[in-house]
Amino acid sequence: MNSIIIFIVGIFCLAVIAGVLQPSKKKKTRRSKRTKNPAIKKSANTGFNRSSSTCRTDEVILTLPLDKMTGAEFERLLTLYFRDNGYTVKEVGVGGRDGGVDLVITDKRGEKTAVQAKCYADHNKVQVMTVRELVGAKRNHDCILSLIVTTSDLTGPARKEADQFKVDYWHGGLVDSKLRSWGKWTPSNRKVKTTTTKKERSLSKTVSNIKCSCGAAMVKRKNKAGAEFLGCSSYPTCRKTKAI
């Protein structure tokens, strides 16, 4: 009889010990999971670093041609330009998270302008959606005015939208002219060798009465297929063309 009682008591003690040990394992598992989450959040919150390879130093940027810059570098160049021209500049679009606005510039009167910068190749133009985003986003920064600065140009619908909502815009030729007049931007001059016949050279000097969008006169030229077209006389600063 005593042996049976001892056996029952032993089973009961084992059950109690097992119940005590099992929750402790669960707690360890939960703790291990919690320690992993902060590491994930920390890596996800890593901010954009201007000293990284996506944006070179100011000294380097001031020597780069526009077509050799990244979007972040073009924004930085504009920041330096506006500051030297008396504006207070806030870089709100660092790393591409602009929400429609890259820079907020404030003049001496306290008037704020929302700036959207687009560093595009010649064949890429600013679309109408960019204009609409800027118009909507400028209110988030308490800006009265808005400006699009692009190394290329705007599409026809984008120009129409910009004129309708009073959005100012600088196209590639104007941007190049303003930056060169500033004096601090000194891109390396690239010499392009071209072979043209005497007839083609005479055609290129034929000035038409048509003006380019940058204000310079258009001149007659010939493409590789021999077809004539009008090109801006300030080429390669301005690359605008028109069909004859």
Side-chain angles (χ1 to χ4, degrees):
M1 186 69 179
N2 291 333
S3 60
I4 294 173
I5 294 172
I6 293 171
F7 178 73
I8 293 172
V9 172
I11 292 174
F12 178 77
C13 291
L14 288 173
V16 171
I17 293 170
V20 171
L21 292 176
Q22 192 172 359
S24 64
K25 289 181 180 179
K26 289 182 179 179
K27 287 180 180 179
K28 287 181 180 180
T29 306
R30 288 175 183 174
R31 285 177 184 176
S32 62
K33 287 182 180 178
R34 286 176 184 175
T35 54
K36 289 180 181 179
N37 289 335
I40 295 171
K41 289 180 180 179
K42 188 176 180 181
S43 62
N45 291 332
T46 302
F48 178 82
N49 183 7
R50 273 216 174 272
S51 62
S52 67
S53 59
T54 53
C55 190
R56 286 161 280 191
T57 63
D58 293 350
E59 291 75 14
V60 174
I61 292 172
L62 289 171
T63 64
L64 293 175
L66 296 177
D67 60 353
K68 298 297 181 183
M69 292 183 187
T70 64
E73 288 168 346
F74 182 54
E75 292 172 23
R76 184 60 186 169
L77 179 64
L78 292 178
T79 296
L80 299 175
Y81 170 80
F82 284 121
R83 280 179 181 167
D84 274 10
N85 281 274
Y87 290 90
T88 301
V89 184
K90 182 180 180 181
E91 299 174 81
V92 297
V94 177
R97 299 182 294 273
D98 54 23
V101 177
D102 291 313
L103 307 174
V104 173
I105 59 175
T106 308
D107 62 15
K108 294 178 180 179
R109 296 174 297 178
E111 201 169 67
K112 289 184 178 181
T113 301
V115 181
Q116 176 62 267
K118 292 295 182 184
C119 189
Y120 284 162
D122 290 340
H123 59 278
N124 289 332
K125 294 186 177 182
V126 177
Q127 302 295 317
V128 66
M129 186 55 65
T130 301
V131 180
R132 291 172 182 171
E133 287 177 355
L134 179 59
V135 171
K138 74 175 184 178
R139 301 188 188 97
N140 300 330
H141 300 279
D142 299 322
C143 295
I144 299 173
L145 304 174
S146 51
L147 169 66
I148 293 176
V149 183
T150 176
T151 55
S152 180
D153 206 342
L154 279 68
T155 63
R159 281 177 177 268
K160 186 177 180 181
E161 194 89 359
D163 293 338
Q164 180 181 349
F165 291 98
K166 298 180 180 179
V167 177
D168 197 8
Y169 50 86
W170 298 354
H171 57 74
L174 184 59
V175 171
D176 187 275
S177 176
K178 285 179 176 292
L179 291 175
R180 289 184 186 277
S181 299
W182 172 35
K184 287 190 177 181
W185 180 59
T186 54
S188 56
N189 295 321
R190 294 175 298 168
K191 294 182 179 180
V192 181
K193 293 182 179 180
T194 55
T195 55
T196 55
T197 62
K198 290 182 179 179
K199 187 176 180 181
E200 288 172 334
R201 283 196 293 269
S202 63
L203 280 170
S204 66
K205 294 178 181 179
T206 305
V207 181
S208 69
N209 294 325
I210 301 174
K211 295 288 184 179
C212 179
S213 58
C214 70
M218 303 289 280
V219 297
K220 287 185 179 180
R221 303 183 191 277
K222 270 192 175 183
N223 59 22
K224 292 180 180 180
E228 292 186 9
F229 68 94
L230 291 176
C232 183
S233 59
S234 62
Y235 177 87
T237 300
C238 179
R239 299 172 180 268
K240 299 294 184 301
T241 62
K242 288 185 179 181
I244 296 179

